[in-house]
Amino acid sequence: QLQLVESGGGLVQPGGSLRLSCAASGFTLDVYAIGWFRQAPGKERERVSCISSTGGNTNYADSVKGRFTISRDNAKNTVYLQMDTLKPEDTAVYYCAAAPYCSAYLRYNYWGQGTQVTVSS
């Protein structure tokens, strides 16, 4: 089985923090770039961050730069998204997905089920 599972979402106050985890089973993440995506009702899905397979390269959407940090621990088969200084507009379902490299936009072929992040006003 090839599976990604997100966890760590929840309800937080503006300015608060959460750390999301993306754990793989059935395959190892170390050959994949991992992107974090989010989608809110009525909004297009957007990629908020990505990390290369080695962890050597990362990128962030402008809306989260300076607040979110992506990292990976390949020994644990897990990728993290540390989210600080959360804003109400960060409210969304967050998904992780695997691709050969971050810019392979049509090849994010493995997706988790999503985890809800809600930031209260």
Side-chain angles (χ1 to χ4, degrees):
Q1 312 95 304
L2 305 178
Q3 182 174 289
L4 295 173
V5 178
E6 302 94 336
S7 62
L11 173 65
V12 298
Q13 298 286 330
S17 297
L18 287 172
R19 189 177 74 161
L20 306 184
S21 297
C22 173
S25 63
F27 66 106
T28 56
L29 287 183
D30 60 1
V31 300
Y32 290 99
I34 300 297
W36 282 98
F37 298 76
R38 67 185 183 188
Q39 188 165 28
K43 302 291 187 180
E44 296 182 19
R45 180 169 291 179
E46 63 175 338
R47 194 182 76 179
V48 300
S49 188
C50 190
I51 188 166
S52 63
S53 61
T54 64
N57 294 301
T58 60
N59 57 65
Y60 301 91
D62 288 343
S63 58
V64 306
K65 284 181 180 177
R67 300 188 298 117
F68 290 13
T69 304
I70 192 169
S71 62
R72 67 191 302 156
D73 185 343
N74 285 341
K76 292 183 169 64
N77 226 23
T78 302
V79 172
Y80 305 97
L81 185 68
Q82 178 68 42
M83 305 187 296
D84 298 319
T85 319
L86 283 161
K87 303 175 180 180
E89 53 263 44
D90 295 318
T91 296
V93 177
Y94 284 71
Y95 302 87
C96 63
Y101 44 91
C102 285
S103 61
Y105 296 111
L106 300 180
R107 299 180 67 189
Y108 283 90
N109 292 324
Y110 299 97
W111 291 80
Q113 84 290 346
T115 186
Q116 177 71 48
V117 172
T118 302
V119 185
S120 65
S121 300

